[in-house]
Amino acid sequence: MKTFRFAIKQIIPLLFSYTFVGIAFGILIHEAGYSVLWAFLSGVFIYAGAMQIVMVSLIISDVPLLMIAMMTFFINARHIFYGIGFVAKFRKMGWKYPYMVLTLTDETYSVFCSIEYPENIDEQKADFYIALICHMLWVLSCTMGALIGEILPFDMTGIEFSATAFFVVVCVNQWHQFESHIPAITGFASAIGFYILLGADYFLLPALSVSLITLTIMKERIDMQTGGVKYDN
Amino acid sequence: MTIDFGSSAAVLIVVASITGLTRAVPYLLFGGKKELPRIVHYLGTVLPGSIMIILVIYCLRNIDLAAFPFGMVELLSIGIVIVAQVTKKNTFLSIFLGTACYMILIRIVF
C-alpha cells in the first residue's frame, strides 16, 4: 500500500496531460465514426498518444497499410532510444519484464528518469505500479473521450502543455543532478541544429542519433568530469 | 462514413505491433541473460540527459516562428516553469504555473 501511494505520487504531474490527451483522442475517433470499443482497444494495445491521434487521420484518409506501418515506425522510433537506459533495470523484473518494455511512454520514461526512491520502497514494485496505473489511466481517458467527450463543460484547450512543462521540470532536475552537462548541451544543440536544417517533421531521429554518437565519442571526457561514473542504474 | 471492420482492425493491429516493436528493439538486442556491454550501461546513464531536452523541443516543434506571437507564449511559459522549479523545487507547482500561464496567454494573445 505504501508502495502504491508512492507510485500515485509520482504520477500526479502527468495526470492532466494523460487525461486530456486521452480524451482528445477519444473525441477524434468518435467523430470519425468509431464506437467506444475502438477507443478502448487503441488505448490498451497502442498506448501512444501522438500515434493514436495520427492513426485516426490515417484511417479516415484511407492510407495504404504499408505506409501506415512506416509512419508508425518513424513517429515512434524515439522509443528505441528510451529503452537503452532501462535494459539493465527491466530485465531483472521476471514476468513483469515484457509489460514494462511495452508500456514505456514519453511520460513514464521521464518519470523513471527522475524518480528518487526512498529506502523503504520496493523499486521494482513501484516501477510496475507506475507503468500499470498510467496505462489504466490512459485507457480510461481514451474510453471516456469517446463516451462523453463532446459534453465536456470546460474549454480545456492548452492543457496538453502540462506534458511539455513536466518534461522541462525533468530537464531542470537533471541539470542539477548530472555532474556533466555535456549530454544536455549535446541534445539541445543537435535538436536545434537539425530543426533548422530539416524542419519540424524530420529533426527528431537525426538529433537522437547524433546525440548517441557524440556521447559515445566523448565517453572519456564525460567519465573524467563525473569522476568515473558507476553505470549500474 | 461507413466503417470497414476488417481494414480498421488491420490498421489497429499494424500500428500496435510496430509501436510495440520500437519499444522492444533495445531489449531484443541486449535484453538476454548475457553481460550487458559497458557502452550500453554508459549510454543508459548519460543518454537521458540528451533525450529529455530533445523531447522538450519535440513538443515545441509546431510553433510558427514566422508569425505572431513567434513562439513567445511557449517560451514565456517554459521560462516560468524553469524559474519556479529552480526556486521552489516543487514539480506540481511548476507544472501548474506553466500550464496556467500558457492557457491564459493563448486566450489573451489570439
Side-chain angles (χ1 to χ4, degrees):
Chain A
M1 205 56 213
K2 192 176 58 201
T3 315
F4 190 77
R5 269 203 303 271
F6 173 75
I8 296 273
K9 228 175 106 188
Q10 309 307 309
I11 292 164
I12 290 174
L14 310 173
L15 221 72
F16 289 112
S17 109
Y18 257 64
T19 315
F20 287 93
V21 176
I23 287 178
F25 162 76
I27 297 173
L28 271 178
I29 197 165
H30 174 78
E31 279 176 357
Y34 287 84
S35 67
V36 179
L37 183 68
W38 289 94
F40 173 81
L41 292 175
S42 306
V44 172
F45 291 109
I46 302 175
Y47 188 31
M51 190 57 229
Q52 281 177 226
I53 288 172
V54 172
M55 180 185 72
V56 177
S57 52
L58 293 176
I59 288 187
I60 300 173
S61 38
D62 251 337
V63 179
L65 215 51
L66 184 67
M67 188 79 163
I68 294 181
M70 283 172 61
M71 284 197 66
T72 310
F73 182 80
F74 284 112
I75 290 174
N76 285 328
R78 64 182 188 284
H79 287 108
I80 296 173
F81 295 84
Y82 299 169
I84 296 171
F86 291 99
V87 175
K89 194 168 198 193
F90 289 168
R91 71 177 184 176
K92 288 185 235 150
M93 291 181 68
W95 62 270
K96 304 186 194 88
Y97 176 27
Y99 185 76
M100 297 304 293
V101 171
L102 292 175
T103 57
L104 194 66
T105 65
D106 295 324
E107 282 86 355
T108 55
Y109 170 75
S110 43
V111 169
F112 290 140
C113 277
S114 61
I115 194 167
E116 283 170 38
Y117 305 91
E119 277 189 14
N120 55 354
I121 290 289
D122 178 346
E123 281 190 31
Q124 293 193 354
K125 222 166 154 188
D127 289 353
F128 178 67
Y129 282 147
I130 289 170
L132 185 70
I133 301 165
C134 281
H135 193 189
M136 299 292 113
L137 183 65
W138 176 250
V139 173
L140 189 75
S141 312
C142 293
T143 313
M144 290 267 288
L147 272 176
I148 55 138
E150 277 162 90
I151 50 169
L152 210 63
F154 316 104
D155 173 16
M156 297 308 288
T157 316
I159 192 83
E160 70 282 354
F161 189 79
S162 59
T164 313
F166 176 65
F167 299 143
V168 172
V169 167
V170 177
C171 285
V172 172
N173 293 346
Q174 283 182 342
W175 187 266
H176 291 307
Q177 218 177 342
F178 281 29
E179 300 219 14
S180 171
H181 291 154
I182 295 176
I185 295 165
T186 305
F188 185 74
S190 56
I192 296 288
F194 282 109
Y195 180 89
I196 294 169
L197 215 62
L198 304 173
D201 293 333
Y202 303 105
F203 82 96
L204 183 63
L205 289 182
L208 286 167
S209 311
V210 165
S211 298
L212 187 139
I213 293 165
T214 312
L215 292 177
T216 309
I217 293 170
M218 295 183 82
K219 181 168 183 298
E220 300 290 311
R221 225 177 121 188
I222 296 173
D223 275 349
M224 291 278 282
Q225 287 191 8
T226 52
V229 242
K230 295 181 284 297
Y231 313 125
D232 45 28
N233 270 330
Chain B
M1 182 185 128
T2 53
I3 290 158
D4 176 17
F5 182 87
S7 67
S8 302
V11 170
L12 195 121
I13 290 167
V14 164
V15 174
S17 317
I18 304 272
T19 304
L21 181 72
T22 59
R23 286 178 174 149
V25 165
Y27 307 88
L28 296 174
L29 290 176
F30 307 113
K33 292 274 179 274
K34 295 189 308 268
E35 182 80 17
L36 208 59
R38 263 187 85 72
I39 192 74
V40 177
H41 265 301
Y42 160 76
L43 286 173
T45 316
V46 295
L47 208 50
S50 295
I51 292 180
M52 288 312 305
I53 273 197
I54 297 176
L55 194 55
V56 170
I57 295 169
Y58 179 65
C59 288
L60 303 174
R61 71 190 179 283
N62 291 323
I63 293 177
D64 187 356
L65 292 172
F68 183 81
F70 313 107
M72 282 188 313
V73 170
E74 285 82 0
L75 278 182
L76 198 68
S77 309
I78 285 183
I80 286 178
V81 175
I82 294 174
V83 171
Q85 185 62 15
V86 170
T87 54
K88 299 279 180 203
K89 294 190 172 40
N90 178 335
T91 303
F92 189 72
L93 180 74
S94 308
I95 294 174
F96 176 78
L97 289 178
T99 309
C101 167
Y102 181 81
M103 290 176 75
I104 292 166
L105 283 181
I106 55 171
R107 282 166 176 74
I108 296 172
V109 176
F110 293 106

